[in-house]
């Protein structure tokens, strides 16, 4: 069984960091992940610099990234202005995102749920044949409204399923495997974006896989969170997820030793230990190197 592991570290990972990394460092992170065998990388987001300063200069990052055959670079957009920037930058896949709740959309994008869905519709129409994903954040819980009705999420997912991959996001890390399994099946979702806030992220990824998801998001070193969600800590660590998947017989075509090297490099860049475990403990069996 083959799946796509999408590393969102350059976007979702870095957007919650206190410092703003230079564009050349962000581009180098993308390059290192591609060299490790990641087939899909969410490289940037096209959002307002004053809202998420860590993502400023997206076009400069894209311009500095070495393009590799077989590596799909994605960019996240929230509205039509973001789409215009994405289209000009020339990335491979657009990731349109909105939340399943009214309040989170207002806090994150200054739009109502209806307006956010309308923007997603318009972006997909403009995208035409460009590969697209629609990520529904807060699919399992909202920091402002609490538990989310699975029926609403499923309805939103099915609205876009014939035009894009639909990814269900556990933005605040409250989901458990049974909830993930049921909602991925009910919504017919293509992918799952998990956070390990309450230490259920990896089990949730396996549950999503069992339910039919073919795309799993993760972030190198376990970096990440959401600047608009209180106490939303890091994503599932890519190297930990790859170790788990390969051990379970799921082919990722990712060089785990090289990926661990990326996490160790990133630890030096940020000057602190990261949240992942495998890069600290090492792979098993130990590499000959």
């Amino acid at each position: 069984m083959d799946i796509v592991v999408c590393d969102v570290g350059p976007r979702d990972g870095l957007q919650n960091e206190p410092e703003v990394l230079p564009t050349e460092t962000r581009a180098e992170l993308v390059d290192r992940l591609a060299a490790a065998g990641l087939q899909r990388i969410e490289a940037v987001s096209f959002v307002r610099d004053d809202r998420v300063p860590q993502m400023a200069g997206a076009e400069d990052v894209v311009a500095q990234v070495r393009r590799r055959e077989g590596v799909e670079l994605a960019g996240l957009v929230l509205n039509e202005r973001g789409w215009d920037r994405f289209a000009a930058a020339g990335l491979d896949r657009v990731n349109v995102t909105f939340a399943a709740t009214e309040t989170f959309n207002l806090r994150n994008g200054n739009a109502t749920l209806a307006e956010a869905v309308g923007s997603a519709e318009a972006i997909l129409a403009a995208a035409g044949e460009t590969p697209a994903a629609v990520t529904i954040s807060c699919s399992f819980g909202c920091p402002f409204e609490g538990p989310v009705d699975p029926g609403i999420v499923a309805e939103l997912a099915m609205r876009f399923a014939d035009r894009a991959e639909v990814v269900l996001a556990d933005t605040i890390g409250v989901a458990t495997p049974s909830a993930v399994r049921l909602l991925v099946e009910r919504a017919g979702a293509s992918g799952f974006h998990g956070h390990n806030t309450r230490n259920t992220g990896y089990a949730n990824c396996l549950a999503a896989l069992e339910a039919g998801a073919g795309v799993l998001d993760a972030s190198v070193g376990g970096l990440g969170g959401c600047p608009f969600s209180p106490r939303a800590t890091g994503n599932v660590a890519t190297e930990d997820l790859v170790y788990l998947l390969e051990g379970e017989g799921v082919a990722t075509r990712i060089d785990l030793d090289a990926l661990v090297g990326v996490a160790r490099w990133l630890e030096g860049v940020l000057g602190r230990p990261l949240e992942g475990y495998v890069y600290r403990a090492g792979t098993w069996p130990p590499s000959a190197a």
Side-chain angles (χ1 to χ4, degrees), residues 143-210:
F144 311 111
E145 297 187 19
V148 175
D149 182 352
I152 292 175
V153 177
E155 182 179 340
L156 289 168
M158 288 184 282
R159 182 168 180 167
F160 294 97
D162 62 338
R163 291 169 289 168
E165 289 181 354
V166 175
V167 178
L168 304 184
D170 183 21
T171 308
I172 58 174
V174 295
T176 55
S178 60
V180 172
R181 189 177 297 108
L182 288 171
L183 188 53
V184 168
E185 288 178 347
R186 179 174 179 177
S190 306
F192 175 70
H193 176 109
H195 284 220
N196 201 41
T197 309
R198 291 167 177 81
N199 207 31
T200 58
Y202 301 96
N204 290 341
C205 285
L206 288 182
L209 201 63
E210 292 167 1

Side-chain angles (χ1 to χ4, degrees), residues 227-243:
F228 304 105
S229 177
R231 294 185 292 180
T233 52
N235 293 271
V236 168
T238 311
E239 63 277 9
D240 293 12
L241 179 62
V242 169
Y243 177 84

Side-chain angles (χ1 to χ4, degrees), residues 14-37:
L14 294 182
Q15 75 173 10
N16 212 40
E17 287 296 301
E19 68 267 33
V20 178
L21 296 184
T23 56
E24 57 266 27
T25 304
R26 291 160 56 194
E28 183 176 357
L29 174 57
V30 175
D31 286 336
R32 285 174 178 263
L33 290 169

Side-chain angles (χ1 to χ4, degrees), residues 1-7 39-40 72 93 133 164-168 180 184-185 188-193 204-218 241 245 250-254:
M1 178 182 185
D2 288 352
I3 66 159
V4 173
V5 175
C6 175
D7 194 293
Q39 295 177 294
R40 186 182 299 178
E72 189 177 51
R93 174 177 291 270
E165 289 181 354
V166 175
V167 178
L168 304 184
V180 172
V184 168
E185 288 178 347
S190 306
F192 175 70
H193 176 109
N204 290 341
C205 285
L206 288 182
L209 201 63
E210 292 167 1
V215 178
L216 295 176
D217 285 355
L241 179 62
L245 292 174
V250 180
T252 66
R253 300 180 298 282
I254 295 169

Side-chain angles (χ1 to χ4, degrees), residues 108-131:
N108 190 40
N110 196 31
T112 65
L113 175 56
E115 289 169 340
V117 170
S119 289
E121 297 272 11
I123 292 165
L124 291 181
E129 298 300 313
T130 300

Side-chain angles (χ1 to χ4, degrees), residues 3-108:
I3 66 159
V4 173
V5 175
C6 175
D7 194 293
V8 299
R11 197 279 302 175
D12 197 18
L14 294 182
Q15 75 173 10
N16 212 40
E17 287 296 301
E19 68 267 33
V20 178
L21 296 184
T23 56
E24 57 266 27
T25 304
R26 291 160 56 194
E28 183 176 357
L29 174 57
V30 175
D31 286 336
R32 285 174 178 263
L33 290 169
L38 270 299
Q39 295 177 294
R40 186 182 299 178
I41 303 165
E42 193 171 73
V44 293
S45 64
F46 297 96
V47 294
R48 284 171 43 181
D49 293 356
D50 61 331
R51 294 281 285 172
V52 190
Q54 296 88 342
M55 292 293 101
E59 289 84 354
D60 292 337
V61 173
V62 174
Q64 294 177 66
V65 170
R66 175 187 171 190
R67 305 303 285 269
R68 296 172 182 261
E69 185 177 353
V71 178
E72 189 177 51
L73 298 184
L76 180 140
V77 304
L78 298 178
N79 50 41
E80 289 91 334
R81 169 57 183 152
W83 162 255
D84 290 340
R85 293 177 62 193
F86 170 93
L91 290 177
D92 305 305
R93 174 177 291 270
V94 62
N95 182 13
V96 186
T97 186
F98 59 86
T101 66
E102 193 79 27
T103 307
F104 196 91
N105 282 300
L106 289 168
R107 298 286 188 97
N108 190 40

